[in-house]
Amino acid sequence: MQLAFASPKGPATLKLGRAKDETIVSLVQRNTEAAAKANFLPIAGQARLIFGYLALDVASLVINDQTIKIAGGENHPQTLDLPPGTYSYALLVSGYRVRTDTITVAAGQAWSLTLDGYKKPDQIY
């Protein structure tokens, strides 16, 4: 189930779903001013992936025939703007695959990817 509504800061979407006997709740509020200040806004007509890594080892994101190195030990979030679509990706730490999945993105969206092997991407704008 999906409900779109106007919030005081901008448009918002509430999504409810079920998986493995659990209720999944997603609430996204599109506050353009805050998103621009945080550098979350994608290039017009594209979607943005935001990812960073805080452990000591080097990590990599493999997506859309690109391999992007993520420096270890520092919090330098990186971004990648992509055309709308569905993408397969892999997250690797020290050459070992910790997550393989797909993500579907739409123009104007921003998503956070984490190296947690169990956590799905989060839509943050």
Side-chain angles (χ1 to χ4, degrees):
M1 179 177 129
Q2 182 171 317
L3 172 66
F5 61 97
S7 74
K9 299 262 184 190
T13 304
L14 174 66
K15 295 179 186 177
L16 299 173
R18 297 275 307 160
K20 299 181 184 175
D21 295 327
E22 294 180 352
T23 300
I24 300 166
V25 178
S26 171
L27 176 62
V28 176
Q29 181 181 34
R30 295 176 68 90
N31 182 334
T32 304
E33 183 180 321
K37 191 174 185 177
N39 195 29
F40 286 178
L41 293 179
I43 295 171
Q46 301 218 350
R48 175 161 285 182
L49 300 182
I50 301 168
F51 46 93
Y53 190 57
L54 293 173
L56 296 177
D57 295 330
V58 173
S60 300
L61 169 66
V62 180
I63 188 168
N64 200 28
D65 296 324
Q66 299 178 57
T67 299
I68 301 159
K69 298 283 186 192
I70 306 166
E74 299 178 27
N75 187 15
H76 294 285
Q78 294 176 264
T79 62
L80 175 65
D81 290 327
L82 296 167
T86 300
Y87 297 90
S88 295
Y89 70 91
L91 292 166
L92 300 99
V93 176
S94 298
Y96 295 99
R97 194 173 303 255
V98 295
R99 180 170 190 78
T100 302
D101 208 342
T102 60
I103 186 169
T104 300
V105 297
Q109 293 181 341
W111 290 81
S112 173
L113 292 179
T114 178
L115 287 170
D116 180 339
Y118 301 102
K119 192 168 187 315
K120 291 279 194 177
D122 290 318
Q123 184 181 355
I124 56 176
Y125 182 81

mmCIF file with all atom_site columns, all heavy atoms in Angstrom, residues 82-100:
data_model
loop_
_atom_site.group_PDB
_atom_site.id
_atom_site.type_symbol
_atom_site.label_atom_id
_atom_site.label_alt_id
_atom_site.label_comp_id
_atom_site.label_asym_id
_atom_site.label_entity_id
_atom_site.label_seq_id
_atom_site.pdbx_PDB_ins_code
_atom_site.Cartn_x
_atom_site.Cartn_y
_atom_site.Cartn_z
_atom_site.occupancy
_atom_site.B_iso_or_equiv
_atom_site.pdbx_formal_charge
_atom_site.auth_seq_id
_atom_site.auth_comp_id
_atom_site.auth_asym_id
_atom_site.auth_atom_id
_atom_site.pdbx_PDB_model_num
ATOM 1   N N   . LEU A 1 82  ? 22.664 8.072   -11.688 1.00 0.00 ? 82  LEU A N   1
ATOM 2   C CA  . LEU A 1 82  ? 22.328 7.078   -12.710 1.00 0.00 ? 82  LEU A CA  1
ATOM 3   C C   . LEU A 1 82  ? 20.998 7.428   -13.351 1.00 0.00 ? 82  LEU A C   1
ATOM 4   O O   . LEU A 1 82  ? 20.113 7.997   -12.694 1.00 0.00 ? 82  LEU A O   1
ATOM 5   C CB  . LEU A 1 82  ? 22.176 5.694   -12.067 1.00 0.00 ? 82  LEU A CB  1
ATOM 6   C CG  . LEU A 1 82  ? 23.403 5.072   -11.430 1.00 0.00 ? 82  LEU A CG  1
ATOM 7   C CD1 . LEU A 1 82  ? 22.998 3.876   -10.585 1.00 0.00 ? 82  LEU A CD1 1
ATOM 8   C CD2 . LEU A 1 82  ? 24.382 4.648   -12.505 1.00 0.00 ? 82  LEU A CD2 1
ATOM 9   N N   . PRO A 1 83  ? 20.806 7.038   -14.614 1.00 0.00 ? 83  PRO A N   1
ATOM 10  C CA  . PRO A 1 83  ? 19.488 7.188   -15.224 1.00 0.00 ? 83  PRO A CA  1
ATOM 11  C C   . PRO A 1 83  ? 18.483 6.289   -14.500 1.00 0.00 ? 83  PRO A C   1
ATOM 12  O O   . PRO A 1 83  ? 18.868 5.280   -13.896 1.00 0.00 ? 83  PRO A O   1
ATOM 13  C CB  . PRO A 1 83  ? 19.684 6.711   -16.660 1.00 0.00 ? 83  PRO A CB  1
ATOM 14  C CG  . PRO A 1 83  ? 21.156 6.676   -16.887 1.00 0.00 ? 83  PRO A CG  1
ATOM 15  C CD  . PRO A 1 83  ? 21.794 6.507   -15.541 1.00 0.00 ? 83  PRO A CD  1
ATOM 16  N N   . PRO A 1 84  ? 17.200 6.627   -14.549 1.00 0.00 ? 84  PRO A N   1
ATOM 17  C CA  . PRO A 1 84  ? 16.188 5.761   -13.935 1.00 0.00 ? 84  PRO A CA  1
ATOM 18  C C   . PRO A 1 84  ? 16.287 4.341   -14.499 1.00 0.00 ? 84  PRO A C   1
ATOM 19  O O   . PRO A 1 84  ? 16.610 4.156   -15.672 1.00 0.00 ? 84  PRO A O   1
ATOM 20  C CB  . PRO A 1 84  ? 14.863 6.416   -14.346 1.00 0.00 ? 84  PRO A CB  1
ATOM 21  C CG  . PRO A 1 84  ? 15.219 7.834   -14.644 1.00 0.00 ? 84  PRO A CG  1
ATOM 22  C CD  . PRO A 1 84  ? 16.617 7.802   -15.187 1.00 0.00 ? 84  PRO A CD  1
ATOM 23  N N   . GLY A 1 85  ? 16.039 3.357   -13.644 1.00 0.00 ? 85  GLY A N   1
ATOM 24  C CA  . GLY A 1 85  ? 16.080 1.963   -14.087 1.00 0.00 ? 85  GLY A CA  1
ATOM 25  C C   . GLY A 1 85  ? 16.345 1.025   -12.938 1.00 0.00 ? 85  GLY A C   1
ATOM 26  O O   . GLY A 1 85  ? 16.392 1.412   -11.772 1.00 0.00 ? 85  GLY A O   1
ATOM 27  N N   . THR A 1 86  ? 16.542 -0.237  -13.290 1.00 0.00 ? 86  THR A N   1
ATOM 28  C CA  . THR A 1 86  ? 16.865 -1.274  -12.318 1.00 0.00 ? 86  THR A CA  1
ATOM 29  C C   . THR A 1 86  ? 18.302 -1.719  -12.554 1.00 0.00 ? 86  THR A C   1
ATOM 30  O O   . THR A 1 86  ? 18.680 -2.012  -13.691 1.00 0.00 ? 86  THR A O   1
ATOM 31  C CB  . THR A 1 86  ? 15.898 -2.464  -12.441 1.00 0.00 ? 86  THR A CB  1
ATOM 32  O OG1 . THR A 1 86  ? 14.563 -1.981  -12.192 1.00 0.00 ? 86  THR A OG1 1
ATOM 33  C CG2 . THR A 1 86  ? 16.228 -3.557  -11.445 1.00 0.00 ? 86  THR A CG2 1
ATOM 34  N N   . TYR A 1 87  ? 19.075 -1.764  -11.486 1.00 0.00 ? 87  TYR A N   1
ATOM 35  C CA  . TYR A 1 87  ? 20.497 -2.082  -11.576 1.00 0.00 ? 87  TYR A CA  1
ATOM 36  C C   . TYR A 1 87  ? 20.851 -3.219  -10.623 1.00 0.00 ? 87  TYR A C   1
ATOM 37  O O   . TYR A 1 87  ? 20.408 -3.236  -9.481  1.00 0.00 ? 87  TYR A O   1
ATOM 38  C CB  . TYR A 1 87  ? 21.346 -0.860  -11.200 1.00 0.00 ? 87  TYR A CB  1
ATOM 39  C CG  . TYR A 1 87  ? 21.148 0.301   -12.130 1.00 0.00 ? 87  TYR A CG  1
ATOM 40  C CD1 . TYR A 1 87  ? 20.169 1.258   -11.880 1.00 0.00 ? 87  TYR A CD1 1
ATOM 41  C CD2 . TYR A 1 87  ? 21.932 0.435   -13.269 1.00 0.00 ? 87  TYR A CD2 1
ATOM 42  C CE1 . TYR A 1 87  ? 19.983 2.322   -12.744 1.00 0.00 ? 87  TYR A CE1 1
ATOM 43  C CE2 . TYR A 1 87  ? 21.752 1.490   -14.137 1.00 0.00 ? 87  TYR A CE2 1
ATOM 44  C CZ  . TYR A 1 87  ? 20.776 2.437   -13.865 1.00 0.00 ? 87  TYR A CZ  1
ATOM 45  O OH  . TYR A 1 87  ? 20.588 3.491   -14.724 1.00 0.00 ? 87  TYR A OH  1
ATOM 46  N N   . SER A 1 88  ? 21.680 -4.130  -11.090 1.00 0.00 ? 88  SER A N   1
ATOM 47  C CA  . SER A 1 88  ? 22.297 -5.123  -10.222 1.00 0.00 ? 88  SER A CA  1
ATOM 48  C C   . SER A 1 88  ? 23.552 -4.483  -9.646  1.00 0.00 ? 88  SER A C   1
ATOM 49  O O   . SER A 1 88  ? 24.236 -3.720  -10.328 1.00 0.00 ? 88  SER A O   1
ATOM 50  C CB  . SER A 1 88  ? 22.689 -6.371  -11.009 1.00 0.00 ? 88  SER A CB  1
ATOM 51  O OG  . SER A 1 88  ? 21.547 -6.997  -11.504 1.00 0.00 ? 88  SER A OG  1
ATOM 52  N N   . TYR A 1 89  ? 23.826 -4.782  -8.384  1.00 0.00 ? 89  TYR A N   1
ATOM 53  C CA  . TYR A 1 89  ? 25.042 -4.242  -7.787  1.00 0.00 ? 89  TYR A CA  1
ATOM 54  C C   . TYR A 1 89  ? 25.634 -5.253  -6.822  1.00 0.00 ? 89  TYR A C   1
ATOM 55  O O   . TYR A 1 89  ? 24.973 -6.194  -6.374  1.00 0.00 ? 89  TYR A O   1
ATOM 56  C CB  . TYR A 1 89  ? 24.772 -2.910  -7.078  1.00 0.00 ? 89  TYR A CB  1
ATOM 57  C CG  . TYR A 1 89  ? 23.946 -3.025  -5.822  1.00 0.00 ? 89  TYR A CG  1
ATOM 58  C CD1 . TYR A 1 89  ? 24.552 -3.192  -4.573  1.00 0.00 ? 89  TYR A CD1 1
ATOM 59  C CD2 . TYR A 1 89  ? 22.555 -2.971  -5.863  1.00 0.00 ? 89  TYR A CD2 1
ATOM 60  C CE1 . TYR A 1 89  ? 23.795 -3.298  -3.420  1.00 0.00 ? 89  TYR A CE1 1
ATOM 61  C CE2 . TYR A 1 89  ? 21.800 -3.073  -4.722  1.00 0.00 ? 89  TYR A CE2 1
ATOM 62  C CZ  . TYR A 1 89  ? 22.424 -3.237  -3.504  1.00 0.00 ? 89  TYR A CZ  1
ATOM 63  O OH  . TYR A 1 89  ? 21.676 -3.351  -2.360  1.00 0.00 ? 89  TYR A OH  1
ATOM 64  N N   . ALA A 1 90  ? 26.909 -5.055  -6.519  1.00 0.00 ? 90  ALA A N   1
ATOM 65  C CA  . ALA A 1 90  ? 27.609 -5.873  -5.525  1.00 0.00 ? 90  ALA A CA  1
ATOM 66  C C   . ALA A 1 90  ? 28.429 -4.934  -4.652  1.00 0.00 ? 90  ALA A C   1
ATOM 67  O O   . ALA A 1 90  ? 29.016 -3.967  -5.144  1.00 0.00 ? 90  ALA A O   1
ATOM 68  C CB  . ALA A 1 90  ? 28.514 -6.890  -6.197  1.00 0.00 ? 90  ALA A CB  1
ATOM 69  N N   . LEU A 1 91  ? 28.461 -5.218  -3.364  1.00 0.00 ? 91  LEU A N   1
ATOM 70  C CA  . LEU A 1 91  ? 29.308 -4.506  -2.419  1.00 0.00 ? 91  LEU A CA  1
ATOM 71  C C   . LEU A 1 91  ? 30.373 -5.480  -1.946  1.00 0.00 ? 91  LEU A C   1
ATOM 72  O O   . LEU A 1 91  ? 30.059 -6.603  -1.537  1.00 0.00 ? 91  LEU A O   1
ATOM 73  C CB  . LEU A 1 91  ? 28.482 -3.993  -1.241  1.00 0.00 ? 91  LEU A CB  1
ATOM 74  C CG  . LEU A 1 91  ? 27.484 -2.894  -1.589  1.00 0.00 ? 91  LEU A CG  1
ATOM 75  C CD1 . LEU A 1 91  ? 26.492 -2.686  -0.456  1.00 0.00 ? 91  LEU A CD1 1
ATOM 76  C CD2 . LEU A 1 91  ? 28.204 -1.594  -1.894  1.00 0.00 ? 91  LEU A CD2 1
ATOM 77  N N   . LEU A 1 92  ? 31.635 -5.065  -2.037  1.00 0.00 ? 92  LEU A N   1
ATOM 78  C CA  . LEU A 1 92  ? 32.749 -5.920  -1.661  1.00 0.00 ? 92  LEU A CA  1
ATOM 79  C C   . LEU A 1 92  ? 33.614 -5.231  -0.611  1.00 0.00 ? 92  LEU A C   1
ATOM 80  O O   . LEU A 1 92  ? 33.819 -4.018  -0.677  1.00 0.00 ? 92  LEU A O   1
ATOM 81  C CB  . LEU A 1 92  ? 33.615 -6.236  -2.890  1.00 0.00 ? 92  LEU A CB  1
ATOM 82  C CG  . LEU A 1 92  ? 32.909 -6.947  -4.030  1.00 0.00 ? 92  LEU A CG  1
ATOM 83  C CD1 . LEU A 1 92  ? 32.502 -5.959  -5.095  1.00 0.00 ? 92  LEU A CD1 1
ATOM 84  C CD2 . LEU A 1 92  ? 33.789 -8.002  -4.603  1.00 0.00 ? 92  LEU A CD2 1
ATOM 85  N N   . VAL A 1 93  ? 34.133 -6.011  0.332   1.00 0.00 ? 93  VAL A N   1
ATOM 86  C CA  . VAL A 1 93  ? 35.085 -5.527  1.322   1.00 0.00 ? 93  VAL A CA  1
ATOM 87  C C   . VAL A 1 93  ? 36.302 -6.427  1.233   1.00 0.00 ? 93  VAL A C   1
ATOM 88  O O   . VAL A 1 93  ? 36.189 -7.648  1.329   1.00 0.00 ? 93  VAL A O   1
ATOM 89  C CB  . VAL A 1 93  ? 34.494 -5.551  2.753   1.00 0.00 ? 93  VAL A CB  1
ATOM 90  C CG1 . VAL A 1 93  ? 35.552 -5.133  3.762   1.00 0.00 ? 93  VAL A CG1 1
ATOM 91  C CG2 . VAL A 1 93  ? 33.273 -4.652  2.847   1.00 0.00 ? 93  VAL A CG2 1
ATOM 92  N N   . SER A 1 94  ? 37.463 -5.815  1.014   1.00 0.00 ? 94  SER A N   1
ATOM 93  C CA  . SER A 1 94  ? 38.719 -6.557  0.851   1.00 0.00 ? 94  SER A CA  1
ATOM 94  C C   . SER A 1 94  ? 38.571 -7.668  -0.185  1.00 0.00 ? 94  SER A C   1
ATOM 95  O O   . SER A 1 94  ? 39.106 -8.759  -0.021  1.00 0.00 ? 94  SER A O   1
ATOM 96  C CB  . SER A 1 94  ? 39.188 -7.131  2.187   1.00 0.00 ? 94  SER A CB  1
ATOM 97  O OG  . SER A 1 94  ? 39.445 -6.090  3.088   1.00 0.00 ? 94  SER A OG  1
ATOM 98  N N   . GLY A 1 95  ? 37.813 -7.401  -1.233  1.00 0.00 ? 95  GLY A N   1
ATOM 99  C CA  . GLY A 1 95  ? 37.630 -8.371  -2.313  1.00 0.00 ? 95  GLY A CA  1
ATOM 100 C C   . GLY A 1 95  ? 36.551 -9.404  -2.071  1.00 0.00 ? 95  GLY A C   1
ATOM 101 O O   . GLY A 1 95  ? 36.249 -10.199 -2.950  1.00 0.00 ? 95  GLY A O   1
ATOM 102 N N   . TYR A 1 96  ? 35.960 -9.428  -0.877  1.00 0.00 ? 96  TYR A N   1
ATOM 103 C CA  . TYR A 1 96  ? 34.915 -10.405 -0.557  1.00 0.00 ? 96  TYR A CA  1
ATOM 104 C C   . TYR A 1 96  ? 33.537 -9.762  -0.714  1.00 0.00 ? 96  TYR A C   1
ATOM 105 O O   . TYR A 1 96  ? 33.281 -8.673  -0.190  1.00 0.00 ? 96  TYR A O   1
ATOM 106 C CB  . TYR A 1 96  ? 35.068 -10.937 0.873   1.00 0.00 ? 96  TYR A CB  1
ATOM 107 C CG  . TYR A 1 96  ? 36.331 -11.731 1.054   1.00 0.00 ? 96  TYR A CG  1
ATOM 108 C CD1 . TYR A 1 96  ? 37.461 -11.151 1.633   1.00 0.00 ? 96  TYR A CD1 1
ATOM 109 C CD2 . TYR A 1 96  ? 36.404 -13.057 0.634   1.00 0.00 ? 96  TYR A CD2 1
ATOM 110 C CE1 . TYR A 1 96  ? 38.629 -11.867 1.793   1.00 0.00 ? 96  TYR A CE1 1
ATOM 111 C CE2 . TYR A 1 96  ? 37.569 -13.782 0.785   1.00 0.00 ? 96  TYR A CE2 1
ATOM 112 C CZ  . TYR A 1 96  ? 38.672 -13.187 1.354   1.00 0.00 ? 96  TYR A CZ  1
ATOM 113 O OH  . TYR A 1 96  ? 39.829 -13.910 1.502   1.00 0.00 ? 96  TYR A OH  1
ATOM 114 N N   . ARG A 1 97  ? 32.670 -10.453 -1.402  1.00 0.00 ? 97  ARG A N   1
ATOM 115 C CA  . ARG A 1 97  ? 31.317 -9.966  -1.648  1.00 0.00 ? 97  ARG A CA  1
ATOM 116 C C   . ARG A 1 97  ? 30.506 -10.035 -0.346  1.00 0.00 ? 97  ARG A C   1
ATOM 117 O O   . ARG A 1 97  ? 30.362 -11.091 0.244   1.00 0.00 ? 97  ARG A O   1
ATOM 118 C CB  . ARG A 1 97  ? 30.674 -10.838 -2.723  1.00 0.00 ? 97  ARG A CB  1
ATOM 119 C CG  . ARG A 1 97  ? 29.427 -10.274 -3.323  1.00 0.00 ? 97  ARG A CG  1
ATOM 120 C CD  . ARG A 1 97  ? 28.976 -11.139 -4.493  1.00 0.00 ? 97  ARG A CD  1
ATOM 121 N NE  . ARG A 1 97  ? 30.027 -11.261 -5.489  1.00 0.00 ? 97  ARG A NE  1
ATOM 122 C CZ  . ARG A 1 97  ? 30.035 -10.635 -6.662  1.00 0.00 ? 97  ARG A CZ  1
ATOM 123 N NH1 . ARG A 1 97  ? 29.015 -9.893  -6.995  1.00 0.00 ? 97  ARG A NH1 1
ATOM 124 N NH2 . ARG A 1 97  ? 31.028 -10.764 -7.499  1.00 0.00 ? 97  ARG A NH2 1
ATOM 125 N N   . VAL A 1 98  ? 29.987 -8.874  0.107   1.00 0.00 ? 98  VAL A N   1
ATOM 126 C CA  . VAL A 1 98  ? 29.156 -8.846  1.316   1.00 0.00 ? 98  VAL A CA  1
ATOM 127 C C   . VAL A 1 98  ? 27.682 -8.664  0.974   1.00 0.00 ? 98  VAL A C   1
ATOM 128 O O   . VAL A 1 98  ? 26.825 -8.908  1.808   1.00 0.00 ? 98  VAL A O   1
ATOM 129 C CB  . VAL A 1 98  ? 29.606 -7.760  2.322   1.00 0.00 ? 98  VAL A CB  1
ATOM 130 C CG1 . VAL A 1 98  ? 30.983 -8.066  2.867   1.00 0.00 ? 98  VAL A CG1 1
ATOM 131 C CG2 . VAL A 1 98  ? 29.555 -6.373  1.716   1.00 0.00 ? 98  VAL A CG2 1
ATOM 132 N N   . ARG A 1 99  ? 27.381 -8.216  -0.237  1.00 0.00 ? 99  ARG A N   1
ATOM 133 C CA  . ARG A 1 99  ? 25.985 -8.070  -0.647  1.00 0.00 ? 99  ARG A CA  1
ATOM 134 C C   . ARG A 1 99  ? 25.905 -8.027  -2.162  1.00 0.00 ? 99  ARG A C   1
ATOM 135 O O   . ARG A 1 99  ? 26.682 -7.370  -2.814  1.00 0.00 ? 99  ARG A O   1
ATOM 136 C CB  . ARG A 1 99  ? 25.376 -6.802  -0.072  1.00 0.00 ? 99  ARG A CB  1
ATOM 137 C CG  . ARG A 1 99  ? 23.922 -6.618  -0.478  1.00 0.00 ? 99  ARG A CG  1
ATOM 138 C CD  . ARG A 1 99  ? 23.278 -5.481  0.303   1.00 0.00 ? 99  ARG A CD  1
ATOM 139 N NE  . ARG A 1 99  ? 21.867 -5.458  0.108   1.00 0.00 ? 99  ARG A NE  1
ATOM 140 C CZ  . ARG A 1 99  ? 20.990 -6.274  0.694   1.00 0.00 ? 99  ARG A CZ  1
ATOM 141 N NH1 . ARG A 1 99  ? 21.406 -7.174  1.536   1.00 0.00 ? 99  ARG A NH1 1
ATOM 142 N NH2 . ARG A 1 99  ? 19.711 -6.186  0.447   1.00 0.00 ? 99  ARG A NH2 1
ATOM 143 N N   . THR A 1 100 ? 24.928 -8.731  -2.698  1.00 0.00 ? 100 THR A N   1
ATOM 144 C CA  . THR A 1 100 ? 24.572 -8.669  -4.113  1.00 0.00 ? 100 THR A CA  1
ATOM 145 C C   . THR A 1 100 ? 23.068 -8.509  -4.167  1.00 0.00 ? 100 THR A C   1
ATOM 146 O O   . THR A 1 100 ? 22.348 -9.245  -3.504  1.00 0.00 ? 100 THR A O   1
ATOM 147 C CB  . THR A 1 100 ? 24.987 -9.964  -4.849  1.00 0.00 ? 100 THR A CB  1
ATOM 148 O OG1 . THR A 1 100 ? 26.391 -10.145 -4.699  1.00 0.00 ? 100 THR A OG1 1
ATOM 149 C CG2 . THR A 1 100 ? 24.649 -9.886  -6.324  1.00 0.00 ? 100 THR A CG2 1
#
